[in-house]
Amino acid sequence: MIRIYKAKDYNDLSRKAANIISAQIIMKPNCVLGLATGSSPVGTYRQLVEWYKKGDLDFSEVHTVNLDEYKGLSGDNTESYRYFMNTNLFEHVNINIANTNVPNGQAVDPEAECRRYNELIRSLGGIDLQLLGIGHNGHIGFNEPEEAFEKETHLVALTQSTIEANARLFDDPKDVPHYAFTMGIKSIMQARKILIIASGADKAQIMHDAFFGPVTPKIPASILQIHNDLTIVADEAALSQTDLKGMKNSDY
Ligand code: F6R
């Protein structure tokens, strides 16, 4: 079942996505949330913080597992995904920081770290709701095109284009990590519910190709079409290449 909600703009998208995450927390206060970084979820996290401050949300029993982390970066490096999560969400709500999980970028034994992360997700009982963004090439997490669908958490070599795109965020381009830990497609597909968000005209082509074209490892996000509980929240610009009228089996 695919549900598509069309939002007017980024703010509307952020409110809709935050509503879905809030519903999950209210219905299962000790839920496991799978979380993402990047620009797409910033507004969603901001909205969740606002509702928490109003007294409408309680994160005290929530556990989280993040999708990915750069290899080599410590959690206090401002470019690390741990730092992003702390500053955009965790520090502003009543979550127990010990219940928040991001792959350890500084793990000395990467294979052991991947195993630990997979076991951690299993020991938590799996992910109730996984939040995702989508890359321009259809990547989810750091699963780039042609990655095998069946992988769990693993170490990936970043493509040259990703390294170059990330260079602007670092004071010294030499500091851009060349590797990252990421949950694999298999880990993502095992989540009970998936929520993917996309904003802006630059995502319109990939949203069309990923969700209205064939399922193929060339477009990693296309596999989500066969998940049995997928919700897409995208703004008008991100859906501008997509004709929703002809869709069966969806709400929008
Ligand atoms: C982030 C992640 C990435 C992003 C994707 C979209 O944890 O895993 O797959 O979701 O690159 O990024 P934005 O939202 O910045 O366009």
Side-chain angles (χ1 to χ4, degrees):
M1 166 79 176
I2 305 184
R3 274 173 239 98
I4 302 187
Y5 296 105
K6 194 193 258 190
K8 276 198 293 296
D9 52 25
Y10 183 75
N11 281 339
D12 188 26
L13 171 154
S14 299
R15 265 197 314 278
K16 284 182 162 60
N19 256 309
I20 292 168
I21 297 170
S22 297
Q24 175 65 69
I25 297 171
I26 290 166
M27 292 197 330
K28 186 175 175 191
N30 62 347
C31 63
V32 179
L33 299 178
L35 298 177
T37 61
S39 48
S40 305
V42 170
T44 304
Y45 296 149
R46 198 181 301 131
Q47 183 64 77
L48 289 172
V49 169
E50 199 181 308
W51 287 335
Y52 163 73
K53 287 191 172 148
K54 275 193 182 160
D56 288 342
L57 273 178
D58 177 11
F59 288 81
S60 60
E61 293 177 60
V62 171
H63 286 70
T64 65
V65 282
N66 260 77
L67 279 170
D68 42 15
E69 178 62 285
Y70 288 117
K71 181 171 186 295
L73 298 196
S74 73
D76 47 20
N77 185 309
T78 55
E79 300 310 331
S80 73
Y81 288 176
R82 162 52 82 180
Y83 186 89
F84 174 102
M85 290 310 304
N86 287 351
T87 51
N88 280 283
L89 182 63
F90 301 153
E91 284 169 3
H92 309 289
V93 297
N94 67 334
I95 199 160
N96 179 349
I97 200 77
N99 293 342
T100 69
N101 299 282
V102 181
N104 175 8
Q106 294 203 305
V108 280
D109 180 346
E111 275 182 30
E113 176 58 8
C114 294
R115 275 198 305 278
R116 181 192 73 81
Y117 212 67
N118 291 333
E119 277 153 26
L120 169 82
I121 295 170
R122 274 192 268 281
S123 73
L124 290 172
I127 297 168
D128 289 298
L129 174 64
Q130 176 67 55
L131 176 66
L132 297 174
I134 182 169
H136 294 108
N137 60 1
H139 73 218
I140 46 178
F142 269 119
N143 298 284
E144 299 288 357
E146 305 290 0
E147 281 263 3
F149 277 153
E150 73 271 16
K151 284 189 188 163
E152 295 188 292
T153 309
H154 59 292
L155 191 68
V156 284
L158 303 185
T159 59
Q160 195 52 37
S161 67
T162 301
I163 294 169
E164 280 161 21
N166 290 347
R168 73 196 146 87
L169 302 168
F170 288 78
D171 293 337
D172 185 344
K174 283 202 300 298
D175 295 339
V176 185
H178 286 208
Y179 291 89
F181 292 100
T182 185
M183 276 187 207
I185 300 286
K186 181 172 174 187
S187 338
I188 293 170
M189 287 298 280
Q190 283 170 344
R192 286 184 270 281
K193 296 184 208 124
I194 295 181
L195 168 61
I196 187 160
I197 56 179
S199 170
D202 57 314
K203 296 281 172 78
Q205 187 62 50
I206 195 61
M207 287 301 284
H208 174 269
D209 296 349
F211 299 109
F212 300 88
V215 174
T216 162
K218 293 196 176 87
I219 304 176
S222 66
I223 187 77
L224 301 173
Q225 291 181 36
I226 63 170
H227 192 276
N228 61 18
D229 194 333
L230 172 67
T231 302
I232 299 171
V233 180
D235 61 16
E236 283 172 9
L239 291 174
S240 57
Q241 302 283 327
T242 303
D243 178 15
L244 296 179
K245 294 218 172 58
M247 274 193 72
K248 295 196 181 79
N249 204 19
S250 73
D251 295 331
Y252 63 93

